[in-house]
mmCIF file of all heavy atoms in Angstrom:
data_model
loop_
_atom_site.group_PDB
_atom_site.id
_atom_site.type_symbol
_atom_site.label_atom_id
_atom_site.label_comp_id
_atom_site.label_asym_id
_atom_site.label_seq_id
_atom_site.Cartn_x
_atom_site.Cartn_y
_atom_site.Cartn_z
ATOM 1 N N LEU A 16 20.729 -3.473 23.024
ATOM 2 C CA LEU A 16 21.102 -3.471 21.622
ATOM 3 C C LEU A 16 21.206 -2.101 21.007
ATOM 4 O O LEU A 16 21.632 -1.979 19.859
ATOM 5 C CB LEU A 16 20.090 -4.355 20.797
ATOM 6 C CG LEU A 16 20.053 -5.852 21.119
ATOM 7 C CD1 LEU A 16 19.018 -6.559 20.378
ATOM 8 C CD2 LEU A 16 21.420 -6.440 20.895
ATOM 9 N N HIS A 17 20.585 -1.146 21.624
ATOM 10 C CA HIS A 17 20.582 0.301 21.131
ATOM 11 C C HIS A 17 19.914 0.384 19.726
ATOM 12 O O HIS A 17 20.548 0.967 18.867
ATOM 13 C CB HIS A 17 21.943 0.829 21.127
ATOM 14 C CG HIS A 17 22.669 0.725 22.428
ATOM 15 N ND1 HIS A 17 22.280 1.556 23.583
ATOM 16 C CD2 HIS A 17 23.703 -0.077 22.923
ATOM 17 C CE1 HIS A 17 23.072 1.217 24.618
ATOM 18 N NE2 HIS A 17 23.873 0.219 24.175
ATOM 19 N N VAL A 18 18.705 -0.285 19.679
ATOM 20 C CA VAL A 18 18.034 -0.123 18.462
ATOM 21 C C VAL A 18 16.569 0.238 18.828
ATOM 22 O O VAL A 18 16.251 0.197 19.985
ATOM 23 C CB VAL A 18 17.977 -1.541 17.618
ATOM 24 C CG1 VAL A 18 19.377 -1.845 17.102
ATOM 25 C CG2 VAL A 18 17.382 -2.664 18.463
ATOM 26 N N SER A 19 15.788 0.522 17.787
ATOM 27 C CA SER A 19 14.455 1.089 18.084
ATOM 28 C C SER A 19 13.426 -0.033 18.551
ATOM 29 O O SER A 19 13.667 -1.278 18.277
ATOM 30 C CB SER A 19 13.836 1.695 16.794
ATOM 31 O OG SER A 19 13.485 0.661 15.838
ATOM 32 N N LYS A 20 12.476 0.429 19.235
ATOM 33 C CA LYS A 20 11.421 -0.440 19.789
ATOM 34 C C LYS A 20 10.799 -1.272 18.610
ATOM 35 O O LYS A 20 10.515 -2.392 18.753
ATOM 36 C CB LYS A 20 10.427 0.364 20.523
ATOM 37 C CG LYS A 20 9.353 -0.411 21.178
ATOM 38 C CD LYS A 20 8.405 0.483 21.974
ATOM 39 C CE LYS A 20 7.167 -0.200 22.485
ATOM 40 N NZ LYS A 20 6.283 0.724 23.353
ATOM 41 N N GLN A 21 10.584 -0.447 17.560
ATOM 42 C CA GLN A 21 9.835 -1.116 16.326
ATOM 43 C C GLN A 21 10.764 -2.241 15.746
ATOM 44 O O GLN A 21 10.256 -3.268 15.384
ATOM 45 C CB GLN A 21 9.620 -0.016 15.297
ATOM 46 C CG GLN A 21 8.523 0.895 15.687
ATOM 47 C CD GLN A 21 9.144 2.041 16.599
ATOM 48 O OE1 GLN A 21 10.304 2.187 16.888
ATOM 49 N NE2 GLN A 21 8.211 2.964 16.956
ATOM 50 N N ALA A 22 12.003 -2.014 15.655
ATOM 51 C CA ALA A 22 12.994 -3.098 15.102
ATOM 52 C C ALA A 22 12.974 -4.294 16.140
ATOM 53 O O ALA A 22 12.950 -5.455 15.540
ATOM 54 C CB ALA A 22 14.323 -2.520 15.076
ATOM 55 N N ILE A 23 12.895 -4.147 17.355
ATOM 56 C CA ILE A 23 12.839 -5.175 18.213
ATOM 57 C C ILE A 23 11.591 -5.907 18.099
ATOM 58 O O ILE A 23 11.592 -7.257 17.967
ATOM 59 C CB ILE A 23 13.004 -4.765 19.781
ATOM 60 C CG1 ILE A 23 14.386 -4.097 19.997
ATOM 61 C CG2 ILE A 23 12.762 -5.831 20.705
ATOM 62 C CD1 ILE A 23 15.549 -5.076 20.083
ATOM 63 N N HIS A 24 10.433 -5.246 18.091
ATOM 64 C CA HIS A 24 9.090 -5.955 17.902
ATOM 65 C C HIS A 24 9.034 -6.737 16.584
ATOM 66 O O HIS A 24 8.509 -7.904 16.503
ATOM 67 C CB HIS A 24 8.037 -4.931 18.000
ATOM 68 C CG HIS A 24 7.650 -4.631 19.434
ATOM 69 N ND1 HIS A 24 7.011 -5.533 20.257
ATOM 70 C CD2 HIS A 24 7.843 -3.549 20.160
ATOM 71 C CE1 HIS A 24 6.841 -4.941 21.485
ATOM 72 N NE2 HIS A 24 7.322 -3.812 21.468
ATOM 73 N N LYS A 25 9.529 -6.211 15.551
ATOM 74 C CA LYS A 25 9.595 -6.872 14.185
ATOM 75 C C LYS A 25 10.395 -8.097 14.221
ATOM 76 O O LYS A 25 9.890 -9.191 13.819
ATOM 77 C CB LYS A 25 10.100 -5.938 13.146
ATOM 78 C CG LYS A 25 10.127 -6.491 11.787
ATOM 79 C CD LYS A 25 10.762 -5.493 10.697
ATOM 80 C CE LYS A 25 10.818 -6.103 9.353
ATOM 81 N NZ LYS A 25 11.404 -5.247 8.412
ATOM 82 N N SER A 26 11.477 -8.063 14.877
ATOM 83 C CA SER A 26 12.367 -9.268 15.074
ATOM 84 C C SER A 26 11.756 -10.305 15.947
ATOM 85 O O SER A 26 11.715 -11.498 15.683
ATOM 86 C CB SER A 26 13.736 -8.892 15.555
ATOM 87 O OG SER A 26 14.441 -8.085 14.606
ATOM 88 N N ILE A 27 11.050 -9.808 17.058
ATOM 89 C CA ILE A 27 10.390 -10.732 17.919
ATOM 90 C C ILE A 27 9.253 -11.454 17.233
ATOM 91 O O ILE A 27 9.119 -12.781 17.460
ATOM 92 C CB ILE A 27 9.901 -10.017 19.188
ATOM 93 C CG1 ILE A 27 11.014 -9.711 20.067
ATOM 94 C CG2 ILE A 27 8.830 -10.844 19.920
ATOM 95 C CD1 ILE A 27 10.678 -8.804 21.337
ATOM 96 N N ILE A 28 8.510 -10.764 16.457
ATOM 97 C CA ILE A 28 7.437 -11.434 15.729
ATOM 98 C C ILE A 28 7.916 -12.542 14.799
ATOM 99 O O ILE A 28 7.353 -13.615 14.684
ATOM 100 C CB ILE A 28 6.579 -10.399 14.994
ATOM 101 C CG1 ILE A 28 5.740 -9.465 15.922
ATOM 102 C CG2 ILE A 28 5.702 -11.015 13.921
ATOM 103 C CD1 ILE A 28 5.144 -8.223 15.265
ATOM 104 N N GLN A 29 8.986 -12.201 14.144
ATOM 105 C CA GLN A 29 9.660 -13.196 13.243
ATOM 106 C C GLN A 29 10.160 -14.457 13.998
ATOM 107 O O GLN A 29 9.941 -15.541 13.640
ATOM 108 C CB GLN A 29 10.781 -12.583 12.395
ATOM 109 C CG GLN A 29 10.287 -11.539 11.451
ATOM 110 C CD GLN A 29 11.428 -10.812 10.779
ATOM 111 O OE1 GLN A 29 12.580 -10.913 11.180
ATOM 112 N NE2 GLN A 29 11.128 -9.909 9.857
ATOM 113 N N LEU A 30 10.740 -14.224 15.220
ATOM 114 C CA LEU A 30 11.213 -15.261 15.941
ATOM 115 C C LEU A 30 10.118 -16.127 16.549
ATOM 116 O O LEU A 30 10.255 -17.413 16.719
ATOM 117 C CB LEU A 30 12.137 -14.789 17.097
ATOM 118 C CG LEU A 30 13.515 -14.219 16.638
ATOM 119 C CD1 LEU A 30 14.209 -13.511 17.752
ATOM 120 C CD2 LEU A 30 14.361 -15.359 16.112
ATOM 121 N N LEU A 31 8.990 -15.490 16.977
ATOM 122 C CA LEU A 31 7.870 -16.257 17.415
ATOM 123 C C LEU A 31 7.203 -17.107 16.364
ATOM 124 O O LEU A 31 6.911 -18.236 16.534
ATOM 125 C CB LEU A 31 6.755 -15.293 18.022
ATOM 126 C CG LEU A 31 7.097 -14.552 19.350
ATOM 127 C CD1 LEU A 31 6.125 -13.492 19.558
ATOM 128 C CD2 LEU A 31 7.037 -15.636 20.507
ATOM 129 N N GLU A 32 7.156 -16.455 15.135
ATOM 130 C CA GLU A 32 6.573 -17.278 13.999
ATOM 131 C C GLU A 32 7.555 -18.496 13.602
ATOM 132 O O GLU A 32 6.987 -19.529 13.187
ATOM 133 C CB GLU A 32 6.380 -16.351 12.838
ATOM 134 C CG GLU A 32 5.235 -15.404 12.946
ATOM 135 C CD GLU A 32 5.074 -14.428 11.813
ATOM 136 O OE1 GLU A 32 6.046 -14.297 10.997
ATOM 137 O OE2 GLU A 32 4.112 -13.740 11.902
ATOM 138 N N ALA A 33 8.774 -18.308 13.790
ATOM 139 C CA ALA A 33 9.742 -19.330 13.475
ATOM 140 C C ALA A 33 9.805 -20.403 14.644
ATOM 141 O O ALA A 33 10.578 -21.363 14.477
ATOM 142 C CB ALA A 33 11.134 -18.821 13.223
ATOM 143 N N ASP A 34 9.087 -20.145 15.762
ATOM 144 C CA ASP A 34 9.056 -21.024 16.867
ATOM 145 C C ASP A 34 10.398 -21.197 17.551
ATOM 146 O O ASP A 34 10.820 -22.237 18.044
ATOM 147 C CB ASP A 34 8.477 -22.335 16.424
ATOM 148 C CG ASP A 34 7.693 -23.047 17.549
ATOM 149 O OD1 ASP A 34 7.280 -22.415 18.461
ATOM 150 O OD2 ASP A 34 7.678 -24.322 17.595
ATOM 151 N N GLU A 35 11.196 -20.125 17.537
ATOM 152 C CA GLU A 35 12.512 -20.058 18.195
ATOM 153 C C GLU A 35 12.450 -19.571 19.594
ATOM 154 O O GLU A 35 13.330 -19.898 20.415
ATOM 155 C CB GLU A 35 13.514 -19.332 17.385
ATOM 156 C CG GLU A 35 13.726 -19.968 15.980
ATOM 157 C CD GLU A 35 14.892 -19.266 15.257
ATOM 158 O OE1 GLU A 35 15.982 -19.047 15.867
ATOM 159 O OE2 GLU A 35 14.585 -18.862 14.035
ATOM 160 N N ILE A 36 11.434 -18.709 19.874
ATOM 161 C CA ILE A 36 11.316 -18.100 21.214
ATOM 162 C C ILE A 36 9.921 -18.318 21.737
ATOM 163 O O ILE A 36 8.945 -18.587 20.890
ATOM 164 C CB ILE A 36 11.744 -16.628 21.283
ATOM 165 C CG1 ILE A 36 10.871 -15.780 20.452
ATOM 166 C CG2 ILE A 36 13.230 -16.513 20.900
ATOM 167 C CD1 ILE A 36 11.092 -14.222 20.579
ATOM 168 N N ILE A 37 9.630 -18.091 23.005
ATOM 169 C CA ILE A 37 8.242 -18.018 23.554
ATOM 170 C C ILE A 37 8.029 -16.779 24.295
ATOM 171 O O ILE A 37 8.978 -16.108 24.788
ATOM 172 C CB ILE A 37 8.045 -19.317 24.524
ATOM 173 C CG1 ILE A 37 9.092 -19.367 25.597
ATOM 174 C CG2 ILE A 37 7.989 -20.609 23.676
ATOM 175 C CD1 ILE A 37 8.809 -20.348 26.679
ATOM 176 N N LYS A 38 6.690 -16.406 24.373
ATOM 177 C CA LYS A 38 6.344 -15.262 25.055
ATOM 178 C C LYS A 38 5.702 -15.666 26.377
ATOM 179 O O LYS A 38 4.788 -16.433 26.378
ATOM 180 C CB LYS A 38 5.401 -14.491 24.191
ATOM 181 C CG LYS A 38 4.766 -13.228 24.736
ATOM 182 C CD LYS A 38 3.746 -12.605 23.773
ATOM 183 C CE LYS A 38 3.097 -11.461 24.285
ATOM 184 N NZ LYS A 38 2.051 -10.777 23.378
ATOM 185 N N LEU A 39 6.132 -15.010 27.426
ATOM 186 C CA LEU A 39 5.572 -15.325 28.765
ATOM 187 C C LEU A 39 5.010 -14.032 29.341
ATOM 188 O O LEU A 39 5.585 -12.936 29.247
ATOM 189 C CB LEU A 39 6.674 -15.778 29.654
ATOM 190 C CG LEU A 39 7.342 -17.086 29.285
ATOM 191 C CD1 LEU A 39 8.533 -17.379 30.098
ATOM 192 C CD2 LEU A 39 6.412 -18.235 29.255
ATOM 193 N N GLY A 40 3.846 -14.132 29.906
ATOM 194 C CA GLY A 40 3.233 -12.924 30.492
ATOM 195 C C GLY A 40 2.446 -12.134 29.620
ATOM 196 O O GLY A 40 2.283 -12.450 28.401
ATOM 197 N N LYS A 41 1.931 -11.057 30.169
ATOM 198 C CA LYS A 41 1.094 -10.067 29.365
ATOM 199 C C LYS A 41 1.583 -8.671 29.599
ATOM 200 O O LYS A 41 2.229 -8.399 30.638
ATOM 201 C CB LYS A 41 -0.456 -10.234 29.711
ATOM 202 C CG LYS A 41 -1.055 -11.536 29.306
ATOM 203 C CD LYS A 41 -2.443 -11.660 29.602
ATOM 204 C CE LYS A 41 -3.061 -12.991 29.226
ATOM 205 N NZ LYS A 41 -4.414 -12.983 29.324
ATOM 206 N N VAL A 42 1.195 -7.782 28.747
ATOM 207 C CA VAL A 42 1.694 -6.423 28.770
ATOM 208 C C VAL A 42 1.166 -5.904 30.185
ATOM 209 O O VAL A 42 0.109 -6.164 30.586
ATOM 210 C CB VAL A 42 1.053 -5.593 27.687
ATOM 211 C CG1 VAL A 42 1.411 -4.145 27.867
ATOM 212 C CG2 VAL A 42 1.512 -6.140 26.301
ATOM 213 N N PRO A 43 1.919 -5.217 30.892
ATOM 214 C CA PRO A 43 3.332 -4.676 30.655
ATOM 215 C C PRO A 43 4.484 -5.578 31.157
ATOM 216 O O PRO A 43 5.579 -5.165 31.139
ATOM 217 C CB PRO A 43 3.284 -3.352 31.400
ATOM 218 C CG PRO A 43 2.545 -3.713 32.672
ATOM 219 C CD PRO A 43 1.403 -4.615 32.153
ATOM 220 N N LYS A 44 4.120 -6.776 31.668
ATOM 221 C CA LYS A 44 5.150 -7.667 32.244
ATOM 222 C C LYS A 44 5.528 -8.838 31.311
ATOM 223 O O LYS A 44 5.691 -9.912 31.685
ATOM 224 C CB LYS A 44 4.597 -8.271 33.580
ATOM 225 C CG LYS A 44 4.182 -7.257 34.605
ATOM 226 C CD LYS A 44 5.361 -6.749 35.296
ATOM 227 C CE LYS A 44 5.016 -5.789 36.367
ATOM 228 N NZ LYS A 44 6.068 -5.081 36.997
ATOM 229 N N THR A 45 5.547 -8.479 29.902
ATOM 230 C CA THR A 45 5.921 -9.601 28.974
ATOM 231 C C THR A 45 7.436 -9.757 28.993
ATOM 232 O O THR A 45 8.201 -8.815 28.881
ATOM 233 C CB THR A 45 5.409 -9.188 27.644
ATOM 234 O OG1 THR A 45 4.007 -8.820 27.754
ATOM 235 C CG2 THR A 45 5.616 -10.297 26.542
ATOM 236 N N ILE A 46 7.836 -11.063 28.948
ATOM 237 C CA ILE A 46 9.267 -11.370 28.778
ATOM 238 C C ILE A 46 9.302 -12.430 27.647
ATOM 239 O O ILE A 46 8.230 -13.129 27.357
ATOM 240 C CB ILE A 46 9.903 -11.880 29.987
ATOM 241 C CG1 ILE A 46 9.219 -13.183 30.545
ATOM 242 C CG2 ILE A 46 10.058 -10.790 31.057
ATOM 243 C CD1 ILE A 46 9.945 -13.798 31.670
ATOM 244 N N TYR A 47 10.446 -12.576 27.064
ATOM 245 C CA TYR A 47 10.688 -13.524 26.014
ATOM 246 C C TYR A 47 11.763 -14.441 26.365
ATOM 247 O O TYR A 47 12.842 -14.064 27.052
ATOM 248 C CB TYR A 47 11.039 -12.804 24.670
ATOM 249 C CG TYR A 47 9.818 -11.983 24.222
ATOM 250 C CD1 TYR A 47 9.705 -10.648 24.692
ATOM 251 C CD2 TYR A 47 8.841 -12.465 23.503
ATOM 252 C CE1 TYR A 47 8.633 -9.947 24.197
ATOM 253 C CE2 TYR A 47 7.728 -11.713 23.090
ATOM 254 C CZ TYR A 47 7.675 -10.408 23.469
ATOM 255 O OH TYR A 47 6.586 -9.655 23.120
ATOM 256 N N ARG A 48 11.703 -15.672 25.971
ATOM 257 C CA ARG A 48 12.709 -16.821 26.394
ATOM 258 C C ARG A 48 12.873 -17.657 25.095
ATOM 259 O O ARG A 48 11.982 -17.880 24.398
ATOM 260 C CB ARG A 48 12.136 -17.560 27.550
ATOM 261 C CG ARG A 48 13.022 -18.623 28.058
ATOM 262 C CD ARG A 48 12.420 -19.360 29.286
ATOM 263 N NE ARG A 48 12.289 -18.389 30.450
ATOM 264 C CZ ARG A 48 11.658 -18.583 31.478
ATOM 265 N NH1 ARG A 48 10.991 -19.690 31.598
ATOM 266 N NH2 ARG A 48 11.594 -17.789 32.442
ATOM 267 N N LEU A 49 14.114 -18.282 25.062
ATOM 268 C CA LEU A 49 14.360 -19.211 24.022
ATOM 269 C C LEU A 49 13.404 -20.409 24.203
ATOM 270 O O LEU A 49 13.099 -20.855 25.260
ATOM 271 C CB LEU A 49 15.791 -19.674 24.013
ATOM 272 C CG LEU A 49 16.829 -18.777 23.563
ATOM 273 C CD1 LEU A 49 18.241 -19.320 23.744
ATOM 274 C CD2 LEU A 49 16.650 -18.374 22.146
ATOM 275 N N LYS A 50 12.996 -20.962 23.159
ATOM 276 C CA LYS A 50 12.149 -22.151 23.286
ATOM 277 C C LYS A 50 13.012 -23.367 23.557
ATOM 278 O O LYS A 50 14.084 -23.550 23.052
ATOM 279 C CB LYS A 50 11.311 -22.517 21.958
ATOM 280 C CG LYS A 50 10.457 -23.580 22.143
ATOM 281 C CD LYS A 50 9.495 -23.540 20.978
ATOM 282 C CE LYS A 50 8.453 -24.731 21.290
ATOM 283 N NZ LYS A 50 7.315 -24.667 20.356
ATOM 284 N N GLU A 51 12.632 -24.164 24.577
ATOM 285 C CA GLU A 51 13.410 -25.332 24.984
ATOM 286 C C GLU A 51 13.245 -26.429 23.863
ATOM 287 O O GLU A 51 12.230 -26.725 23.400
ATOM 288 C CB GLU A 51 12.838 -25.916 26.254
ATOM 289 C CG GLU A 51 13.014 -24.990 27.457
ATOM 290 C CD GLU A 51 12.432 -25.567 28.745
ATOM 291 O OE1 GLU A 51 12.150 -26.847 28.744
ATOM 292 O OE2 GLU A 51 12.252 -24.911 29.720
ATOM 293 N N LYS A 52 14.488 -26.974 23.649
ATOM 294 C CA LYS A 52 14.481 -28.070 22.736
ATOM 295 C C LYS A 52 14.067 -29.357 23.438
ATOM 296 O O LYS A 52 14.212 -29.503 24.600
ATOM 297 C CB LYS A 52 15.908 -28.319 22.160
ATOM 298 C CG LYS A 52 16.493 -27.048 21.565
ATOM 299 C CD LYS A 52 15.808 -26.698 20.216
ATOM 300 C CE LYS A 52 16.472 -25.480 19.604
ATOM 301 N NZ LYS A 52 15.594 -24.701 18.889
ATOM 302 N N GLN A 53 13.292 -30.264 22.714
ATOM 303 C CA GLN A 53 12.944 -31.434 23.300
ATOM 304 C C GLN A 53 14.170 -32.252 23.892
ATOM 305 O O GLN A 53 15.194 -32.394 23.129
ATOM 306 C CB GLN A 53 12.185 -32.356 22.336
ATOM 307 C CG GLN A 53 10.833 -31.786 21.991
ATOM 308 C CD GLN A 53 9.869 -31.838 23.139
ATOM 309 O OE1 GLN A 53 10.240 -31.875 24.279
ATOM 310 N NE2 GLN A 53 8.603 -31.974 22.726
ATOM 311 N N GLN A 54 14.068 -32.663 25.058
ATOM 312 C CA GLN A 54 15.164 -33.466 25.596
ATOM 313 C C GLN A 54 14.985 -34.950 25.627
ATOM 314 O O GLN A 54 15.074 -35.632 26.554
ATOM 315 C CB GLN A 54 15.344 -33.007 27.067
ATOM 316 C CG GLN A 54 15.785 -31.521 27.129
ATOM 317 C CD GLN A 54 15.942 -31.068 28.618
ATOM 318 O OE1 GLN A 54 15.686 -31.765 29.440
ATOM 319 N NE2 GLN A 54 16.541 -29.820 28.809
ATOM 320 N N THR A 55 14.675 -35.445 24.348
ATOM 321 C CA THR A 55 14.364 -36.905 24.233
ATOM 322 C C THR A 55 15.644 -37.710 24.556
ATOM 323 O O THR A 55 15.519 -38.832 24.945
ATOM 324 C CB THR A 55 13.892 -37.115 22.834
ATOM 325 O OG1 THR A 55 14.781 -36.645 21.827
ATOM 326 C CG2 THR A 55 12.447 -36.488 22.569
ATOM 327 N N THR A 56 16.808 -37.105 24.253
ATOM 328 C CA THR A 56 17.980 -37.869 24.550
ATOM 329 C C THR A 56 18.097 -38.248 26.045
ATOM 330 O O THR A 56 18.625 -39.323 26.283
ATOM 331 C CB THR A 56 19.269 -37.062 24.086
ATOM 332 O OG1 THR A 56 19.241 -35.838 24.708
ATOM 333 C CG2 THR A 56 19.254 -36.930 22.605
ATOM 334 N N VAL A 57 17.706 -37.312 26.954
ATOM 335 C CA VAL A 57 17.827 -37.592 28.393
ATOM 336 C C VAL A 57 16.835 -38.731 28.723
ATOM 337 O O VAL A 57 17.227 -39.685 29.476
ATOM 338 C CB VAL A 57 17.540 -36.368 29.205
ATOM 339 C CG1 VAL A 57 17.456 -36.704 30.677
ATOM 340 C CG2 VAL A 57 18.496 -35.277 28.862
ATOM 341 N N ALA A 58 15.608 -38.660 28.212
ATOM 342 C CA ALA A 58 14.640 -39.709 28.579
ATOM 343 C C ALA A 58 15.054 -40.986 27.972
ATOM 344 O O ALA A 58 14.816 -41.979 28.561
ATOM 345 C CB ALA A 58 13.324 -39.281 28.027
ATOM 346 N N ALA A 59 15.590 -40.985 26.746
ATOM 347 C CA ALA A 59 16.005 -42.266 26.094
ATOM 348 C C ALA A 59 17.201 -42.901 26.795
ATOM 349 O O ALA A 59 17.385 -44.063 26.802
ATOM 350 C CB ALA A 59 16.363 -41.957 24.679
ATOM 351 N N ALA A 60 18.069 -41.960 27.370
ATOM 352 C CA ALA A 60 19.268 -42.494 28.022
ATOM 353 C C ALA A 60 18.969 -43.144 29.394
ATOM 354 O O ALA A 60 19.713 -43.911 29.858
ATOM 355 C CB ALA A 60 20.269 -41.263 28.250
ATOM 356 N N ILE A 61 17.820 -42.835 29.998
ATOM 357 C CA ILE A 61 17.449 -43.454 31.295
ATOM 358 C C ILE A 61 16.927 -44.853 31.063
ATOM 359 O O ILE A 61 15.950 -45.092 30.375
ATOM 360 C CB ILE A 61 16.306 -42.573 32.009
ATOM 361 C CG1 ILE A 61 16.868 -41.204 32.261
ATOM 362 C CG2 ILE A 61 15.868 -43.256 33.341
ATOM 363 C CD1 ILE A 61 15.853 -40.313 32.795
ATOM 364 N N LYS A 62 17.622 -45.770 31.702
ATOM 365 C CA LYS A 62 17.259 -47.224 31.562
ATOM 366 C C LYS A 62 16.545 -47.600 32.953
ATOM 367 O O LYS A 62 17.216 -47.639 33.902
ATOM 368 C CB LYS A 62 18.520 -48.031 31.344
ATOM 369 C CG LYS A 62 19.338 -47.804 30.180
ATOM 370 C CD LYS A 62 18.664 -48.081 28.929
ATOM 371 C CE LYS A 62 19.627 -47.817 27.698
ATOM 372 N NZ LYS A 62 18.994 -47.679 26.486
ATOM 373 N N ILE A 63 15.231 -47.835 32.805
ATOM 374 C CA ILE A 63 14.585 -48.315 34.022
ATOM 375 C C ILE A 63 13.681 -49.478 33.544
ATOM 376 O O ILE A 63 13.345 -49.704 32.380
ATOM 377 C CB ILE A 63 13.683 -47.200 34.513
ATOM 378 C CG1 ILE A 63 12.562 -46.716 33.578
ATOM 379 C CG2 ILE A 63 14.546 -46.049 35.126
ATOM 380 C CD1 ILE A 63 11.656 -45.814 34.133
#
């Protein structure tokens, strides 16, 4: 993105608070990932 580290961290904090992303690992091996949406439609579609 070619932006500052501080800008990235500020945005990440906002995204974590909004529950849109998740944090995996600990410093220095921290990565961020989109939070998975509940897949209730798949479970509901299975007829057993």
Side-chain angles (χ1 to χ4, degrees):
L16 296 177
H17 305 289
V18 295
S19 70
K20 181 178 178 180
Q21 292 82 358
I23 295 289
H24 279 289
K25 181 179 176 182
S26 296
I27 285 174
I28 290 170
Q29 292 171 353
L30 290 169
L31 286 168
E32 288 174 352
D34 209 26
E35 295 186 53
I36 63 172
I37 57 173
K38 178 180 176 179
L39 301 171
K41 294 184 180 185
V42 177
K44 303 283 185 188
T45 306
I46 60 170
Y47 298 90
R48 182 179 293 169
L49 286 176
K50 184 164 183 170
E51 293 180 13
K52 304 293 183 211
Q53 291 288 31
Q54 297 179 351
T55 54
T56 54
V57 174
I61 298 174
K62 304 287 184 198
I63 60 172

